[in-house]
Every structure is written in structure tokens, then in C-alpha cells.
Amino acid sequence: MVIRRVLAPRIDFGALRRELGLPESFPPEAQREAEQAAAAPPTPAVDRTDVPFVTVDPAGSRDLDQAMHLARRPGGGFRVRYAIADTAAHVPAGGALEAEIWRRGQTIYLPDGNVPLHPHTLSEGAASLLPDVDRAAVLWTIDLDADGGTVAVELERARVRSRAQLDYVRVQADADAGRLPEPIALLPRLGALLTARGLRRGAVNLPLPEQDVEPDGDGWRLVLRPPVPMEEHNAQISLLTGMAAAEIMLAGRIGLLRTMPAPKPEAVLRLRAAAVPLGVSWPDGVGVGEILAGLDPARPREAAFVDQAAELMRGAAYTAFDGELPEQPAHGGVAAAYAHVTAPLRRLADRYATEVCLALHAGRPVPDQVRAALPRLPEVMTATDRTAGAASRGTIELAEAVLLEHRVGEVFDAAVLDVTVPSSNGRPRPPGGTVAVDDPPVRARCAGELPLGERVRVRLVTADPTRRTVLFERA
């Protein structure tokens, strides 16, 4: 794994916060309710503190939603225990805190500090699954057969205790050295098994490197980090749980799904056509997801193909239903029905989908308050998804512009990821596209005739931090 880092000077993210209208603090009454909840945490009657859970998150995280324990199942197969922070048990119904959480919708992450869905008193304290403390959780126990197929699902509120807070880099190193701790020793085997099942049913995952801005002393660094295998394995446990939740809600005819149309056949045909000039082999009978899984985005032509494939992943939405099942309940990327239930500290929707599952699994009516919330959630989550996306893009664009501000006129090596195509009405557009610069790790627009998937030399013509704009031209 190669991580590219480039130091950037001090950056003021205040203008971006103001532009997005992000709140600076919680209203006093909401904060007071959070502190009261933290001072008197819930104590579920079911005690599962004997299970040695661990958490696996990015290094330095404090809002820990999930804790995991994997084991062999008696008689063969696997047993997945997945504990999820119980936010509903910490938030008083109808109070100022709940109202503020609805206004925020989800946590917005910025390099100089996140804008949390819940006050830090809860999200990084009393509700977070931090190590060596008892916590209230919603515990999913999912039994799988030897091929990774789900054979049984149990769901309960329980008291749990994480034994260790692990991070992806450390876990990957332990996996490579064959010394994973017992609670997740099976994760590479199980993650690979679940990934293979997903590819067989048509799941699509884009192997894109993560671009991020991280603090570095008095300044910041722009980081391009490819995903490590253990991140994908960990994500498979969350997907498994989300699919189990969707099945419970569909059987009960009420819930909130994360949906996305399957890739359109004509879009797949266009992608297959793009594979030929990019030198990507695509045998007959092999699905898009299987092709993408075998690519290396560090290679320019394969990176360009992955970028083209991103066009298939459009139209994600939250779909609420009560009584009548959705016409299109599946998520095209997962190739199955799927629901968000594993990140309630960070996403409002997860809390309510979880409450639906708890009620249905226990054979109880879904609480009126939860039922009434379902039709309101898609609009709230869609709006806050836009804000989160704008914050992420704005952060990267600002860091890139600051980093390059004094390098206008210089020439850089780059790979061509995308090229301009004529508009839908046939009007000509100036030639250009998107390039990924080698060093610093910047992705930006570039003017001029560009050969898709090839390496080129580009000249920086604009780097404007005020407008968060970077532009190159073919050298």
C-alpha cells in the first residue's frame, strides 16, 4: 500500500462552514438533555459483556458506532455478532435534543473538527462503543453457513463491552503478519467469502483511493490513500447487517431502505465499449463488479475505467414504505435490498430503521413515533447528504487550491481519467477532461485534447483558494 502525502500550509475552513450554514454548537437545552442522558446511561437487562467485542475504525476516531465479534458456529459456518450504538436509548423523545438532531441529519466531517449529529457528550462519550466501558447497544447476531449464506438472525438490546479500539492500518498489519486478535481473526476469510457472494449476485464496488485532508503540525497534508483489504472486509459485515435489516422490514411491510437503480443495460454497454481502448479485458459472462474487483487504480488506464464506471452508480435514495412494498426495493451497488442501520451516531436514518427492526423482530407493533418519522426521513437525509458531499468536495478543492496557489505555470505529470463529450443537444464543448496529478495528489479539470487513460504533461493555469478552483491545460 502506497500512501501519498503532501504538506499544505495553514488553511481556514471557516468560510466553507459559513457557506454551508453549519451550526457552531448545540442549543443550550439540547446540550443539557445530552449531558443528563450521559449522566444516567441506559442499562439494558440483557448482559453480553462476556463477549469480547472490538471496534475497527479510522485511527483517532471517537464516535464508534460498531463493535464486532466473529466466531465459528457449532456445526459449521460462522456467527457474526455486531453491536451497534443504541442512540435511541440516549435521546429523549420530543425534546430539544431530538429536534436539533433532526435539523442536522448526519455528522459533517471537516479537517478542523466535525459537526456532529449528536453532542460530543454522547457521540464521543456515553453512547460511543469505547473500549473497557459498558455500553447500551443493539446487538445483531447473524448465523451464516459455510458459504456465507444467512441462516438465522437475532436482534436484541444488550449491554456490551469492547475490549480494544483498533484501526485499519494496524489491523491490516496484523492480518499480513497472521496475528489478528481472536474477535476478528476470521475477518479476512469471512470478508472474502461475503465479497465473492456479492460479486456473484452482481454487486458493484468502486475501488477508488480516498483523498483526504489531515492536520500536520501547524499546517495540513493532502493525502491519497488506497483502501486496504481489511477495510473492505469490515464493510462486508456492515453490508451483511444492512441486508438482514432490509429483509426484516420487507417481511414486516414497513421500514426505510437505501435504494439505487441497477445499472442500465445501455450504460453497461457504453462501459464495455470504453474497456477496449483502455486495454481492460472483459470476457463474456463476467459482471461489472467482477471486472472492477480485479483492477488496480494506481494504473492510469485502469483508473480511467474505474472513473467511467462511477457513472453506473447513480440515483441512490432513501425509500420509506408502510403497508405497500416499494416498486424498486433493491440497491444496485449491493445487488440486494439493503438498509442503513450500522451508523446511528452519525446518521439519523439508522436509528429509526433499527427501531423498526427491533419491533418487527420481537413481534411488536412499530411505535407510533417511529412510524410517523419514516416518511419524513428521505427528505431530511437527501438534504444532509448534499451538505455532506459539498463539505467533502469543498475541503479537498480548498486544500488543492492552497497547495498549488504559488505554483501557477509549473508543469506536472498526470493521468487522464475522463474526457469531455458533446452535450446531449449536440452542441460542441471545448476539449478537456479530468486529470489525476502524480505529485501533489490532485484531481482537477484540464483544458486541451486529452487521450483517455494515458499519461500526459499538464501546466497549472489557475489555483484560486477564494473560489476553490484549480485548472490545468495540456502542456
Side-chain angles (χ1 to χ4, degrees), residues 64-214:
L64 309 182
D65 287 288
Q66 314 109 9
M68 182 191 313
H69 181 270
L70 308 176
R72 291 286 182 182
R73 189 166 64 96
F78 306 87
R79 173 160 291 170
V80 175
R81 292 186 178 97
Y82 209 34
I84 308 300
D86 191 354
T87 55
H90 290 84
V91 179
L97 177 58
E98 184 175 56
E100 180 64 14
I101 290 169
W102 270 85
R103 188 169 78 87
R104 295 180 179 224
Q106 63 183 284
T107 296
I108 306 297
Y109 291 93
L110 291 168
D112 60 346
N114 62 22
V115 182
L117 176 62
H118 301 83
H120 287 138
T121 308
L122 296 177
S123 63
E124 299 186 358
S128 178
L129 302 183
L130 298 166
D132 302 321
V133 289
D134 288 2
R135 288 290 187 256
V138 175
L139 178 57
W140 293 82
T141 300
I142 305 175
D143 283 347
L144 308 174
D145 61 24
D147 294 324
T150 299
V151 296
V153 177
E154 293 296 330
L155 184 58
E156 61 187 353
R157 280 195 152 94
R159 190 163 68 256
V160 303
R161 175 180 283 251
S162 171
R163 302 300 198 273
Q165 180 178 350
L166 309 178
D167 66 76
Y168 292 126
V169 174
R170 172 183 165 188
V171 166
Q172 186 63 56
D174 286 346
D176 293 342
R179 57 169 186 261
L180 282 173
E182 181 270 333
I184 56 169
L186 292 172
L187 187 55
R189 165 69 179 146
L190 185 53
L193 195 63
L194 294 173
T195 296
R197 288 183 66 88
L199 292 177
R200 288 196 297 271
R201 68 174 181 264
V204 178
N205 180 45
L206 297 175
L208 294 170
E210 179 183 359
Q211 193 176 18
D212 206 355
V213 179
E214 300 176 347

Side-chain angles (χ1 to χ4, degrees), residues 308-373:
Q308 300 296 301
E311 294 300 314
L312 302 178
M313 312 295 282
R314 303 293 184 189
Y318 287 89
T319 301
F321 62 101
D322 189 349
E324 184 176 348
L325 295 180
E327 181 178 344
Q328 197 290 102
H331 188 290
V334 181
Y338 168 71
H340 277 164
V341 292
T342 62
L345 289 175
R346 292 171 276 173
R347 279 192 307 250
L348 176 65
D350 298 45
R351 166 185 160 193
Y352 288 92
T354 296
E355 291 303 303
V356 172
C357 290
L358 282 164
L360 293 175
H361 184 76
R364 295 183 282 101
V366 173
D368 290 342
Q369 183 195 22
V370 174
R371 188 183 293 270

